[in-house]
Amino acid sequence: MNSVRAILLLESNTAMSGVIVPVPAVLMDVLGRSTLQRTIDSLSHSGVTDITVLAESNSASPAVRNLTVEKANIVRTEAASLWRTAESLFETQAEAAANVFLIRINAYMELNWNAIVQHHERHLNRVTRVWHGTEPQPLDVFLVSSSRRNDAAFLLRGGLRASRTDCKPYEVGQNNEDEYINLLEHEFDIRRLASDALHCTCNLRPEGKEIRPGIWVAAGARIDKKARLVAPAYVGRRARICPGAVITRGSAVEHHAVVGHGTVIENATVLPYSELGPGLEVSHAIVGNKHLFHLQKNLCIAISDSRLVGVVSDKAGLRVLGSTASLLSFIPRQVWRGLTGHVPESEPAVNSTIDYVKSFNPPEKESAQMSAGLAVMRRYGNQ
Amino acid sequence: METSRPVVVKRIPERMNQSEARKFLRDVEPLINSDRPQLVFDLSQVRQLDVAGIEVLLQCMSQVMKRDGDLKLASLSDHAAVVLELTRTDRLFEVYETSTDAARSFSMFLPNMLRRQQQQRFAA
């Protein structure tokens, strides 16, 4: 497939709410790597030699402006001239290749790129569009013959909506190929992609090593020996799992995230650079960016208290400074504790954000008022 | 002589942060310190619930239990429901859909109510 090249168009607008996922969904790391990078890897692995990513230079999202990728060139242009630049880029690429893929990168796609090329050549198509689903829906993936520059121009001027010639479309899975599509339209899709990968429903492989069957840990992750990882689970690079934490049921803790003491993560994703406080229970949710998206309730709430959901700085210097400051303050605190023999009032409980012990343990003088023979029982919810 | 104690329904403020939580605790202190208090906290207005707010709820619960009373939560807003679930405190409280349901639940297990139900059954 040496004579095939690819142009990937990256638009800043995202179909998601933009709150929990502040960058375009394809740039968000899922199990350690972004969808964009995975698509580039997949194309490159299939023999597409020259891959160009066309990104907006004046995008509101810093992630798009400062985009870096491996194995591909990046061409930046203003949003208004994106399609015109794509057109001229196509003309350049078409001179050195027989076919060019035009892909608006807005979904996670595991496609057999060679099968698409074969389909294109077998049916003598000018433009081949990829469709997917039981009730077929079009994807923004086109393979255009290099000699059909007018078709490409029509396609690009129309924003990759329709081609001017009717050609036989390629349907995902038509040749019993092992193909998978996730449209990344909603927060559910981000979670579903991670879950599908960890449950081996698709071919997406998490970054890092599989230390035990179903448990993936990336480089530099710090997992306390008192923490529990129940397969399938993923811990990203430089993530920290504190003692007593439990990561289970296909949960993913992305890179540089911190999970506090005793916190349980169940069927949830912790986004990069997020910090979860101690003693929490995060289930069926996506947490990060000081927000929690509850998948069962389809609800996104802002959490302003950093003791519950905080943010870790993405700058290494600030992170080092923060840990140094906490280390330096730890020694005087221990000295103070040793001298006075009690924990200062302002110090949080070790194993929980909420000081349950303080809330429920009656002070000495009040306990004296209670009758010794009186037992207080309470029903807990439905129990 | 039969006496029935009042059920007090108290609405939690929209923002339950450090300062508001302290203020709220001052407001409810007289209610909590009464004999066998029966309280319902209405959380329908809550838009922000911090750790401080949850600690106040737990503190109220502990005080009420010490006085052989009961504290129930009602009309949880989405925010309150998620934060209570996140902090695992939802399982410590009885939660009702409306304040009326919560208030009614206090009389559900009273001997008077049981007696009245039995009488109605016999009459039928």
Side-chain angles (χ1 to χ4, degrees), chain A residues 262 264 279-282 292 294 297 299 301-302 304-305 308 353-356 359 366 370 378-380, chain B residues 48 50-51 54-55 58 61-62 65-66 70-71 78-79 81-82 85-89 91-92 94:
Chain A
V264 178
L280 304 180
E281 185 171 294
V282 181
L292 184 145
H294 201 289
K297 293 179 178 163
L299 177 76
I301 65 157
S304 53
D305 196 335
L308 296 175
T353 310
I354 316 294
D355 196 347
Y356 294 100
S359 299
E366 288 187 15
M370 302 282 282
R378 170 151 191 87
R379 297 178 299 278
Y380 289 97
Chain B
Q48 185 194 335
D50 283 1
V51 169
I54 290 174
E55 274 178 351
L58 292 173
M61 163 73 103
S62 119
M65 280 172 67
K66 267 185 254 164
D70 210 347
L71 167 63
D78 290 336
H79 187 105
V82 171
E85 189 188 320
L86 179 71
T87 53
R88 303 188 222 187
T89 34
R91 58 194 78 172
L92 300 175
E94 280 183 43

Side-chain angles (χ1 to χ4, degrees), chain B residues 10-51:
Chain B
K10 179 81 183 162
R11 188 168 285 166
I12 303 249
E14 198 175 313
R15 295 189 176 280
M16 196 67 165
N17 47 26
Q18 187 83 44
S19 58
E20 284 292 326
R22 216 173 291 159
K23 203 171 141 195
F24 177 78
L25 188 62
R26 271 202 302 274
D27 285 354
V28 293
E29 230 157 28
L31 303 173
I32 291 170
N33 291 335
S34 62
D35 179 45
R36 291 199 288 160
Q38 299 191 129
L39 292 177
V40 174
F41 285 168
D42 184 318
L43 285 90
S44 58
Q45 306 281 309
V46 175
R47 297 283 169 273
Q48 185 194 335
L49 186 60
D50 283 1
V51 169

